[in-house]
Amino acid sequence: MDRARRPRSVLAALTATLLAVPALTALSSPAGAADADLAVNGGFESGLTGWTCTAGTTVDSPVHGGRSALRATPAGNDNAQCAQTVTVQPDAQYTLSGYVRGSYVYLGANGTGTSDVSTWTQSAPDWQKLSTTFRTGPTTTKVTIYTHGWYGTGAYQADDLTLVGPGGSGTGQPPAAPAGLRTTSVTSSSVGLSWSAVTGATSYALYRDGTRVQNVTGTSATVSGLAASTAYSFQVTAANAAGESPRSTAVTATTGAGTGGGPSDLPAHALVGYLHAGFANGAGYTRLADVPDSWDVIDLAFGEPTSATSGDIRFNRCSSGGECPGAESDADFKAAIKAKQAAGKKVLISIGGQNGQVQLTTTAARDAFVSSVSKIIDTWGLDGLDVDFEGHSLSLNADDTDFKHPTTPVVVNLISALKTLKAKYGTKFVLTMAPETFFVQNGYQFYGAGKWGGQDPRCGAYLPVIHALREDLTLLHVQDYNSGPIMGLDNQYHSMGGADFHIAMTDMLLTGFPVAGDPDNVFPPLRPDQVAIGMPASTNAGNGYVSPAEVTKTLDCLTKKTDCGSYTTHGTWPALRGLMTWSINWDRFSSWQFQKTFDGYFG
């Protein structure tokens, strides 16, 4: 994902651009009575409404004024430009101003009909005002204003951008803020809202905890996909062709207690581990009866298909005559399962893994999956299923662009199969998932092949499965290991090796995020009791191992909002379920260090 930088070519391009920047004209006299600020949402109080951005988001800190500001990060061949086209009058004088932070930040206007202008700062460690003026040509009726950074120089911020001058004909004014916002219904996963109509409004936008989540044309809406027993704040704005209104007065609502998501008898903080039941993998074989009581959920690795597209899953235990000397008999294994369950533990079959590609391309494969997984669960007396699809198991068709309404057969059939299993075994059925970051958090930037194609169609492919099963999902423990750099909600790339990566990745799950950068298509947050953090048990287990001290920092930040380092989370989640690790075998190999860290933290 990282691209090699070429300092010489970048410097040459930068020099050429700086030489091309026109000298700043003197500031004009104060605006006349007919002048107005024509920039829509120049303070970014309504997200990116009115702006077209190649990259960027709004943040609540740092800001120059109001509640929000723009933050954008240039990457590769993209300078992270945000622009909007404004209606102006011909042969008129305009002043463009704004406040910026960062290195090599630009503010300018194109299409003026005379001389296009821009101004910039080489370095602004704190808010610095930029301002320039221009006069439109004799036939100019539209001008594009913009701000951007420079390639490879880091993130920049912009706020309170204004374009002051006479308005063009027919521009009008944005509507007033809606009044009378109230709740009309509250369930465990949704809140119904209504408000009074606003004169001149053609649409309305709903905000949940400051993030735009829905656009509607009427005066009521239901926000769904919410976590149970959670307080939310809602606001609404009105919009028309001239722009978006300020936000309404906020109303709060607390969702009801949920009944989905698997059994409620898991401990408040659980330790999840994979047990190599079908192989030794260098860590040596560990008998199920020898797994310490600290492990609350034990995933038997792995059930694998007879072929990638058959849907026929088989669970073949490792025998004492092969690579697993000391492996127990089937009878002893079943007895160990019952003993763990009697002690309040959950024992699951994990399907997939690195070598177990599962592609349910047909309804026949779907039905075979349900039948064969049921047979494994019934034969061994298991509590449920862990979905550990990796590699090429899940991929999205080119025309499958909405995670809330998937159409790709391998995704649709998997959702159907899991719902069938949940319905068959009832509320006590434990359903967990262990996707890689590429299939979940990477969906913040990319989803499937993308609007224009060319992206990896596996990007974010787990999101429709998680979303469709969120009311049935007991635990999601994303593998925060063997991962490339992933962009977090701060629009910075985060890499494995420290608490920062786990904090940023988990914050995305608990906050929710716009998919593929679309603020109108938000993946809703999961409940904290549905989330565990996946980490390698040792340096032998996988790339991305972190020390016990970094594990503690991660938990302190997410559950107490202390020791967060440079990343600012969007909440505090003391009900975070716990930790998952690959694997119990590797932890035993390393003298149970991972287990001891968990026990020491949660007691």
Side-chain angles (χ1 to χ4, degrees):
M1 296 175 71
D2 290 334
R3 298 183 180 181
R5 296 182 180 178
R6 296 179 172 84
R8 290 180 181 273
S9 59
V10 169
L11 182 59
L14 176 60
T15 301
T17 298
L18 299 187
L19 290 174
V21 173
L24 299 186
T25 59
L27 293 181
S28 62
S29 58
D35 288 351
D37 178 13
L38 306 181
V40 175
N41 188 30
F44 300 95
E45 299 300 298
S46 297
L48 299 180
T49 298
W51 297 91
T52 300
C53 302
T54 60
T57 188
T58 54
V59 295
D60 57 12
S61 178
V63 299
H64 175 263
R67 299 180 304 273
S68 301
L70 169 70
R71 179 184 176 91
T73 305
N77 295 320
D78 177 25
N79 60 10
Q81 177 170 290
C82 281
Q84 70 170 258
T85 300
V86 182
T87 302
V88 294
Q89 290 187 13
D91 197 25
Q93 188 75 13
Y94 293 89
T95 299
L96 174 64
S97 300
Y99 292 83
V100 300
R101 295 175 81 250
S103 300
Y104 299 102
V105 192
Y106 291 75
L107 180 67
N110 290 328
T112 63
T114 55
S115 295
D116 291 347
V117 296
S118 67
T119 179
W120 65 286
T121 177
Q122 180 175 352
S123 177
D126 203 353
W127 292 107
Q128 177 179 329
K129 184 176 183 179
L130 298 179
S131 186
T132 185
T133 63
F134 62 89
R135 191 169 191 86
T136 53
T139 61
T140 301
T141 58
K142 292 184 181 297
V143 168
T144 298
I145 61 175
Y146 64 85
T147 182
H148 66 70
W150 195 254
Y151 313 98
T153 56
Y156 73 91
Q157 291 84 43
D159 200 3
D160 296 332
L161 307 186
T162 61
L163 179 66
V164 176
S169 60
T171 55
Q173 293 294 324
L181 179 62
R182 63 186 183 91
T183 59
T184 57
S185 63
V186 179
T187 72
S188 63
S189 61
S190 66
V191 173
L193 300 159
S194 69
W195 55 92
S196 301
V198 178
T199 301
T202 56
S203 65
Y204 301 89
L206 278 169
Y207 289 79
R208 185 202 69 226
D209 295 333
T211 299
R212 183 153 57 105
V213 295
Q214 195 172 140
N215 285 337
V216 296
T217 55
T219 57
S220 64
T222 298
V223 180
S224 58
L226 304 178
S229 303
T230 303
Y232 292 95
S233 174
F234 299 96
Q235 293 171 287
V236 63
T237 62
N240 60 19
E244 187 175 12
S245 75
R247 297 181 193 181
S248 70
T249 301
V251 299
T252 59
T254 300
T255 52
T259 57
S264 60
D265 55 349
L266 281 177
H269 300 292
L271 182 61
V272 182
Y274 287 80
L275 183 68
H276 307 178
F279 52 92
N281 196 23
Y285 187 81
T286 300
R287 293 165 58 95
L288 178 57
D290 295 334
V291 174
D293 287 342
S294 299
W295 301 90
D296 302 295
V297 181
I298 302 167
D299 294 325
L300 304 178
F302 289 105
E304 298 180 347
T306 55
S307 71
T309 59
S310 70
D312 185 8
I313 308 299
R314 305 295 175 88
F315 175 48
N316 298 310
R317 292 191 54 243
C318 197
S319 66
S320 59
E323 63 173 306
C324 303
E328 64 270 63
S329 66
D330 285 354
D332 287 343
F333 195 73
K334 287 182 179 179
I337 291 172
K338 290 182 178 179
K340 290 296 180 185
Q341 292 167 335
K345 313 305 179 184
K346 306 297 180 185
V347 185
L348 316 181
I349 180 64
S350 180
I351 306 297
Q354 179 178 344
N355 299 324
Q357 303 297 301
V358 182
Q359 299 167 348
L360 305 183
T361 55
T362 64
T363 56
R366 175 201 65 192
D367 296 343
F369 181 88
V370 171
S371 176
S372 58
V373 170
S374 297
K375 184 177 180 180
I376 294 171
I377 291 172
D378 295 341
T379 298
W380 298 97
L382 303 177
D383 295 288
L385 168 67
D386 172 67
V387 183
D388 186 13
F389 286 12
E390 301 178 11
H392 291 271
S393 292
L394 293 180
S395 181
L396 296 166
N397 289 348
D399 59 350
D400 193 348
T401 59
D402 183 359
F403 77 91
K404 296 176 182 176
H405 303 95
T407 57
T408 304
V410 294
V411 173
V412 173
N413 290 332
L414 176 61
I415 292 170
S416 176
L418 296 178
K419 285 186 174 291
T420 300
L421 287 166
K422 177 69 175 182
K424 176 178 179 178
Y425 290 101
T427 57
K428 292 186 178 181
F429 184 74
V430 180
L431 176 62
T432 66
M433 298 182 189
E436 297 166 297
T437 56
F438 183 84
F439 295 90
V440 183
Q441 288 95 335
N442 203 42
Y444 176 53
Q445 277 189 288
F446 312 104
Y447 188 70
K451 295 180 180 179
W452 299 280
Q455 295 174 186
D456 191 321
R458 299 173 297 164
C459 293
Y462 242 102
L463 293 177
V465 181
I466 298 168
H467 184 68
L469 274 298
R470 64 172 56 241
E471 289 301 312
D472 301 307
L473 183 63
T474 309
L475 280 176
L476 177 72
H477 31 67
V478 176
Q479 301 177 35
D480 285 1
Y481 47 90
N482 297 334
S483 170
I486 302 291
M487 180 177 285
L489 294 179
D490 58 352
N491 286 333
Q492 301 297 304
Y493 282 105
H494 298 269
S495 300
M496 299 183 302
D500 173 83
F501 187 69
H502 298 295
I503 292 166
M505 295 302 99
T506 308
D507 181 57
M508 296 179 77
L509 301 177
L510 297 172
T511 302
F513 54 88
V515 175
D518 183 354
D520 293 327
N521 195 29
V522 175
F523 178 78
L526 292 165
R527 302 192 315 266
D529 64 279
Q530 289 180 297
V531 176
I533 310 170
M535 302 178 175
S538 69
T539 54
N540 307 89
N543 294 321
Y545 169 77
V546 296
S547 67
E550 293 299 300
V551 176
T552 298
K553 285 182 182 178
T554 300
L555 294 172
D556 280 345
C557 178
L558 293 168
T559 64
K560 304 174 184 176
K561 207 157 190 173
T562 61
D563 212 5
C564 289
S566 61
Y567 187 89
T568 302
T569 64
H570 293 76
T572 307
W573 303 279
L576 179 74
R577 184 65 79 178
L579 303 177
M580 173 276 278
T581 193
W582 176 265
S583 63
I584 294 172
N585 304 63
W586 281 117
D587 195 34
R588 182 185 184 186
F589 186 83
S590 299
S591 302
W592 302 113
Q593 183 186 71
F594 194 88
Q595 172 204 311
K596 291 174 183 176
T597 300
F598 176 87
D599 288 346
Y601 193 88
F602 290 113

